[in-house]
Amino acid sequence: VFTPNWPMPEFTIVTPVLDQAEYIERCILSVAAQNVDVEHIIIDGGSTDGTVEIIENHQDKLAYWVSEKDNGQSHAINKGLERATGEYFNWLNADDQLTDGALTHVSEAFNDDLQVVIGDCEHIDVSGRSVAIGRARVWNSVEETLANYSMGQPSLFYRTETVRQLGGLKEQLHYCMDMELWFRYLLEFGQSNIGSIDAVISKFQL
């Protein structure tokens, strides 16, 4: 466990990880390169492939990290949420990355009336080749948005307190927890307080 004493940040990014030595450094560096105040929290589930050593090498860029057995990525993200002090929240899987200036775009898009800001998410293959551009799209009504579901999770930012009000992620879900959280948000708060960015702010590896 490593916890430096930093002032309260604007963003919290949580990375759940297990045995992702091939990609974790790229993820860490993409967050560290953002030119806003961001706390990066890494929750490792007990990696044995060299991931922990890479995290240790970059711990000066992190607000907190731990390596211990957990109950899957939803549980890991919720552990990070418990420690989050940033105003805005998202999670970034170990094989995903933020684009240059991504959090500046998000910060500039948020205002006092918004609880969520959405940007474009570039889907890439293992070689880094662009495959598609996606995003969580908002339609004319909540019913239409639910019925025409789409998601680009690394480019969907919530206010941290909004995620806490929703109770975080459902830990029994391991693959569709992003969709379920989004649906709960829409059903609880509607879609009048959602902002949009016309820019690619993350890369999601297929």
Side-chain angles (χ1 to χ4, degrees):
V1 177
F2 175 76
T3 314
N5 183 21
W6 286 359
M8 183 177 294
E10 186 174 9
F11 286 88
T12 296
I13 301 292
V14 175
T15 295
V17 59
L18 179 65
D19 292 335
Q20 291 287 306
E22 184 176 358
Y23 304 113
I24 185 65
E25 183 174 53
R26 183 184 68 184
C27 173
I28 293 171
L29 294 177
S30 80
V31 177
Q34 302 298 311
N35 53 356
V36 299
D37 291 331
V38 54
E39 65 175 1
H40 193 184
I41 294 171
I42 295 182
I43 308 295
D44 179 83
S47 293
T48 59
D49 70 335
T51 294
V52 171
E53 289 75 13
I54 294 169
I55 294 170
E56 288 176 333
N57 288 340
H58 292 288
Q59 65 181 8
D60 60 316
K61 302 175 181 67
L62 305 175
Y64 172 86
W65 74 273
V66 67
S67 180
E68 60 189 15
K69 185 175 176 55
D70 55 44
N71 297 320
Q73 60 179 328
S74 296
H75 179 220
I77 294 163
N78 281 344
K79 287 169 64 177
L81 177 63
E82 290 177 2
R83 290 185 167 272
T85 63
E87 185 173 3
Y88 311 121
F89 177 85
N90 203 354
W91 68 93
L92 189 68
N93 288 329
D95 55 353
D96 298 336
Q97 56 193 298
L98 297 176
T99 60
D100 292 343
L103 298 187
T104 298
H105 289 305
V106 177
S107 177
E108 291 173 348
F110 262 110
N111 60 49
D112 292 341
D113 296 325
L114 298 182
Q115 290 177 289
V116 170
V117 165
I118 299 167
D120 289 334
C121 176
E122 183 179 14
H123 294 211
I124 61 173
D125 64 18
V126 293
S127 68
R129 182 178 63 90
S130 180
V131 176
I133 302 294
R135 66 157 54 214
R137 299 191 182 279
V138 174
W139 297 74
N140 292 326
S141 67
V142 169
E143 291 78 8
E144 286 182 85
T145 300
L146 292 170
N148 293 282
Y149 164 73
S150 61
M151 176 56 67
Q153 175 270 313
S155 294
L156 197 160
F157 286 79
Y158 297 89
R159 287 191 182 274
T160 304
E161 287 308 310
T162 298
V163 182
R164 289 196 171 114
Q165 287 179 49
L166 291 167
L169 298 178
K170 298 295 186 185
E171 294 181 7
Q172 70 270 32
L173 301 178
H174 301 291
Y175 299 106
C176 61
M177 64 283 193
D178 54 351
M179 176 187 74
E180 194 275 340
L181 178 66
W182 177 230
F183 281 11
R184 269 191 291 136
Y185 171 82
L186 292 168
L187 292 170
E188 178 72 20
F189 296 107
Q191 56 186 36
S192 61
N193 297 324
I194 298 172
S196 182
I197 301 169
D198 291 324
V200 173
I201 59 176
S202 71
K203 295 185 179 185
F204 175 87
Q205 182 163 297
L206 301 173

